Amino acid sequence: MIGYKNERYLYFGRVAARLDDLVNYVPARFTGACMVLALMISNYSAVKAIKAWQKYAHLHPSPNGGIPESIVAGALGIRLGGDNWYHGQKSFRAYMGEGDREIEANDIRATIKIMYVTTFVFAIFGVTVLILIGG
């Protein structure tokens, strides 16, 4: 319940949640860069993804969470966000992406593919770094 925003848990873990935001600031942006490379490899629109990242990521409640969400929305031409339900409470999240088309079930598969290719890009980067430093 770290950083959970309701009356009971509002202050419990707030420092840990902010520390998590800080520690993951650079890795989240590196992940975004890996995602853009993955989109190029996977034949999705990296240009739309970058534009969505620039336009929408900062609207997310998390300084880091909006990056992958906005990138996927831009790449797929969909709009994410809007009304969500958490523990029976309706909560609005800022929209991410232009919503050039309606979301379809196949977008789940496409997002998973992007995730796997992003992981591959990151692994190649990691192996390259290890080789260059003599590991």
Side-chain angles (χ1 to χ4, degrees), residues 94-114:
Y95 290 115
M96 306 275 156
E98 296 297 319
D100 301 330
R101 62 177 185 79
E102 292 294 317
I103 296 174
E104 302 170 355
N106 283 337
D107 292 324
I108 296 170
R109 283 191 189 90
T111 302
I112 293 169
K113 178 182 176 183
I114 292 166

Side-chain angles (χ1 to χ4, degrees), residues 1 3-12 87 89:
M1 305 311 292
Y4 209 74
K5 293 182 179 176
N6 67 23
E7 284 185 38
R8 183 173 182 189
Y9 298 110
L10 183 61
Y11 297 105
F12 177 74
H87 304 287
Q89 298 284 330

